[in-house]
Structures are given as structure tokens and as C-alpha cells.
Amino acid sequence: MVTGTQPLPCKNPVGDHLLLRSFKNKVDYCRLQGCDVFYSNVYLHPKMDSYWAKLPLIRSAMMAHPEVEWIWWMDADAVVTDMEFKLPLESYKDHNLVVHGWDNMVYGDNENKSWTGLNTGSYLVRNCQWSMDLLQEWSKMGPLTSEYEKWGKILTTMFKDKPFPLPDDQSSLIYLLYKERTKWGKKTYLEGGYELECYWVAMLGRFEEIIFGYNDLEEDVSSLRRRHAEKLSKYYGELREPHLKKRGWVPLSKGKRPFVTHFTGCQPCSGNHNPSYKGETCWKEMEKALNFGDDQVLRKYGFIRKNLSTSYVHEVPFDYPWSNFLR
Amino acid sequence: MVTGTQPLPCKNPVGDHLLLRSFKNKVDYCRLQGCDVFYSNVYLHPKMDSYWAKLPLIRSAMMAHPEVEWIWWMDADAVVTDMEFKLPLESYKDHNLVVHGWDNMVYGDNENKSWTGLNTGSYLVRNCQWSMDLLQEWSKMGPLTSEYEKWGKILTTMFKDKPFPLPDDQSSLIYLLYKERTKWGKKTYLEGGYELECYWVAMLGRFEEIIFGYNDLEEDVSSLRRRHAEKLSKYYGELREPHLKKRGWVPLSKGKRPFVTHFTGCQPCSGNHNPSYKGETCWKEMEKALNFGDDQVLRKYGFIRKNLSTSYVHEVPFDYPWSNFLR
């Protein structure tokens, strides 16, 4: 997993605290699932800043990690909210890029075309020559080129809803996929089968409901609430799967924990959040999501929160009845 | 490795940024050396806050990780400044606790006794019953007991230089070792053979000098400057060892990178630094130490800083002559 933020402190007074917790969340997931995580605090190319910084970073991570098949990019404002979810890498055997998106908005006619047709906040890139070539082509639309502004005009003409004049990595990727579908689109998987990244607004008020559902399940199935070593988390995650399916809690359904919740539009560091919601809502929900993920980890250390908006934790009695503990 | 900070954002505007970078530094070390890292943002017991928070945390980490022989506690303000250094665990086979300290100040007569006779900013605890028992005894001098203030008086009487009236974990540990040397002292190793934690003031202005020394060495020995995969870092670290020894750069000597640099007294989060130096000096030196550690990692990704006080990095040409690049 590769992630990162800009070199300087945040302008928003709670920004760096949220970034710290968001990084901890990613480190937790990687420890539980057995993957490496690399965080960058520098721009590898001085002109490739902001959202363009990830491209040279992913390229360098590929070179430094020849043993790795997949690089998973995660934005700093994306939070893992299902610590047991395993990326279904086996289903991507014919693809080199996996990104959350919708066919009609990426490849469809002009009416459906949107700069949010896919989201580059959380995506997978196979460590191979095809990806190296893609990164090179993709970078050519970024701040390195003398035709940067020209590309901005091309993109704003194609995507009527693009809110700013200069090129961004997301619109540029859609452009490449659409214009050269045979070359790039064929090897790109637009994932919509689970929350590779889920817009946080869709999760407003839902985390509590999910917790109660999982608790009910554990009241029925005692093996799932057994206290266990952290190294056995994957085993216990697999044990839970058939029980979730029996209740119809498959990815994208109401009962299932979303895999990744993405606080897109919140901009925790600058604080220049999308004006359609309040900053306060952003920070409060981000804290809830972080606590939701953290509780799944802390429980293995013997603790849990009774309330998602607090950092106050309680000791979990051995094989306790959930109903008495939480209600 | 277990580390952590308090649940709420820092008061110091640059505090959380420094904590974020310090956590990244630890994650980098653990990725390179192959150990797990757990960061805590909560108090596992509401009364065990501040420096006492580590005790219940270490205990829980032991329980959640029965597969782990050693728990390494690191304060948030401690920075790994030699990414290649390997803890000499084999030399601790007869001990259960390893902490940086001095025999005469811990066990010696009253004149030498100091609350800084050892430092609990970075120490190792073996995952065993002895350690569980120690943590229990040790905790009894903390905020959980009704005799908390009484313990404070005992400790300030014993340690004339202790600067605050209530018990802290560090003084309490020295007290236990001194009073029950057979029980606790015998199994405790006071490490002074390398920088398990090094007071940052001792490193003022020295990082640059060390960089030039290592560069000179690499100019002589081409195999050491070979670009390599991150997974081979341990191998290349071992390759460097005999060359360092030949130059007399062994731990604690001037040429060798210090293992851990500890910004004790800086209190990056509260900003209430030790009045004997300026806060600015703290933050600037901490940034230098973080960059010093980061450069050792970044180089494997093909980049390096030319100046330790900047986040501006340069591409390292393949097998470049160091002299032309840096001077």
C-alpha cells in the first residue's frame, strides 16, 4: 500500500491529527492482512504536487519493490472500515489497473460523461511494464508538460462537470481510457462490486446500525466472539464470511461494513471542504469512521468503544454477552 | 514495536505533523527490518494517561501477540536515525527488560542517584510472566493507586533532581530496580553499548558530518552504493558493517549513525518544552533527524535530500559519484 501527504504541516488545526489517525488505520489494516505500507511526505518531482504526486511515487514504489505484484494507492483521506476484507486479487488476473468506476460514465456518450466516472482515491496497479507505460502517458497530461493549460481546456470541454480549469489525475485517466480504450481500457477493471472506495456521505449515520448487526450475529455464533491473537485475524475473518452471506450481508448491501470510506471533498488538511456540507460534519464523520475501524482492531487487544464519537474505551469481558455490554 | 500518543489533537500547531512524520519513521524501520508496529491513540485505562499509558498498552500488546518474544516500546518523540541497525536480541538471552541506563545512577549510593539514571523512552520487554508481574508492580505506583501522592513523596525524596511532585513511570522503575534488585534488577539489562535512545542535544550539528563520512565510505566501496530493492536492505546493512568497523565507526563513536535519537524535553505535542532550550531548536532538530532517517529510506526509491532541513529531494543517478552529487 502506498499513501502520502504534502511535506508541510496542515493549515487546518485538526488536519494533521486526522492524517495521523488515518495513517494508523492503514498501518493497522496492513499489519492484520500482511502487506507492506509506504507513506511519502515528499514530492518526488517538484512540479508533480497535489494529486499528481502519486504518479512518480507509485512508479518509484514499483522499482523499489520488484517482489510486489500489486501496488494499492490510497489517498490520505480514505479510511479502511472493514479490517477483515480481503482484496479479491484473483479476479483481476486479466487486468493491470483496478479502479472504482462506472462503465457508462467513462466510455459512454457525452451526456453521461463525468469527471467522477471513476475515482482515483483508492486503486490497484499491477507492477508491470504496461503500468509503467500508463504512468508515463498519464504523467504527460500533468504539470510537467508545457501543454498543461491546453490539456486543461480539452478536459473541461469533455467533462462539463469538471470544477477547475487545470488537469487533474482523475479526469486525465478517464480521458486516456476513453480515447485509447483498446490500449488502456481493455486492461482496466472498473470495480463496482464492493467499496474499493465509498463516498462518505453514503455512510452518514450507518456505522452504528452495522455495529448492532454484527453484534447480533456474534450473539448467535459464539466462535466469532472468541478473543484471539491478532495474527489469527485473517482466519477469523474467513470464519465470519459464510454467516454474513447467510444474512444477505454481501458487499454493497446495507448490513455489511464498507471496505473503504473515502472522505472526498472534505480536504482535511487545507480545510477547504466542499461548500455543499459543513466542515464540522466532515471531521465528525471522519472520526467516526476511524473509530469504527479502530474498534475492530482494539477488540483483539481487549477493548472497545461504546460510542463511535469518543476515544473512551472499555475493557471487553471474556466471551461477554454483547447485549448487556453495549445496550 | 509499540508506540502511541494521546487521543486528542496537539496544542502545538506543528505537533501532529511531527507525530505523523515520527510514526512514518517507525513504520519505515519496521518495514525494512521486518517487525510489526502498533500505534495507540487511546488510553486503555482512563486513569493511566500521559507517560503511564504505555504500561497497560504493553500488557495488551503482549496478550494480542503471543507469537512475539520482544515488545519494543518507543516514545512518539523518539526517531530511528539508523535504519540499518539491528537490535542485538541474542545478547539479551538472560534478561527480560532492556533499558538505556547507568548502573551507578540506578543502583549506586544516594549521591549518584538520579531520576534520569535510565530512560523509559525506548526499551525492550520480553513477552513472559516475569514482565507481566513487573508491569503489575510498576503500575501500582501510578495513578491507579490511592497512595499515588504518597508515592510521589517517596520518589522526590529519593531523587533530588526529580522536577515534579507526582510519580512518573521512569522514577518508579528505578525505585523498583534499586529496592528489589534481586527480583527485578537481576533480569534487567542497563544498555549503554549503543544508542537505544540518544539525547538529541548530543547530536546537535552532527548529522551532516555523519552523512559525509558515510558518503566517503561509499565512494571507496562501490557495492555499498548499488541501487537495490527495499527487501534487501538488511543484506546491504550487513554488507556495510565490516567497513564501518574498519574505520572505527562502532556504536557510540563519532562516525556511526546513532540508532535512536530521542527528543526528550521537547514535548512536541504540548509545546511545553524544557526551558533550557528554545522550542524552535527542538522542531528544527527533530525535522533534521526525521529527514536523516527518511533519506536512508528514500534512497532505495531513487531520491535523496541535499540538505537535511528541507523536504526538497533530488533524483539519485545510478551508481553516481557521491562527491559530484552532494558537494
Side-chain angles (χ1 to χ4, degrees), chain A residues 24 36 39 65 230-231, chain B residues 24 36 39 65 230-231:
Chain A
K24 171 195 153 48
D36 276 337
Y39 195 99
H65 287 275
E230 219 186 28
K231 285 282 169 206
Chain B
K24 169 196 155 44
D36 276 337
Y39 195 100
H65 288 274
E230 219 186 29
K231 283 283 168 206

Side-chain angles (χ1 to χ4, degrees), chain A residues 236-247:
Chain A
Y236 277 87
E238 281 159 22
L239 217 60
R240 194 195 303 272
E241 267 312 302
H243 298 284
L244 293 175
K245 274 196 193 120
K246 212 187 285 170
R247 296 192 174 209

Side-chain angles (χ1 to χ4, degrees), chain A residues 27-169:
Chain A
V27 171
D28 281 338
Y29 179 81
C30 286
R31 190 180 61 254
L32 294 174
Q33 297 287 335
C35 55
D36 276 337
V37 54
F38 179 70
Y39 195 99
S40 173
N41 273 114
V42 296
Y43 294 133
L44 295 186
H45 192 290
K47 282 190 179 172
M48 294 288 266
D49 60 1
S50 178
Y51 30 72
W52 287 100
K54 37 189 140 164
L55 268 54
L57 191 54
I58 292 170
R59 191 184 187 284
S60 298
M62 282 181 175
M63 299 294 288
H65 287 275
E67 84 285 1
V68 157
E69 178 84 13
W70 288 98
I71 302 273
W72 178 17
W73 170 263
M74 275 272 272
D75 275 1
D77 61 356
V79 175
V80 180
T81 39
D82 188 354
M83 291 283 166
E84 286 176 344
F85 191 86
K86 217 178 125 261
L87 284 164
L89 297 180
E90 62 287 352
S91 54
Y92 305 139
K93 62 178 170 18
D94 298 327
H95 295 87
N96 297 329
L97 175 70
V98 181
V99 52
H100 183 209
W102 298 265
D103 241 66
N104 61 331
M105 286 201 275
V106 172
Y107 303 113
D109 52 32
N110 284 338
E111 220 168 290
N112 278 321
K113 207 167 254 31
S114 162
W115 85 294
T116 60
L118 57 76
N119 189 293
T120 51
S122 160
Y123 60 94
L124 298 160
V125 192
R126 190 189 296 273
N127 191 354
C128 67
Q129 189 59 47
W130 182 94
S131 307
M132 288 280 179
D133 296 344
L134 172 68
L135 287 174
Q136 182 137 8
E137 280 300 301
W138 195 355
S139 298
K140 283 184 190 161
M141 301 172 75
L144 285 178
T145 173
S146 58
E147 297 181 317
Y148 190 42
E149 285 177 25
K150 195 199 85 187
W151 275 115
K153 277 178 200 142
I154 293 172
L155 294 174
T156 42
T157 309
M158 176 175 267
F159 305 106
K160 306 288 178 222
D161 58 351
K162 184 168 149 54
F164 41 90
L166 285 171
D168 61 293
D169 65 323

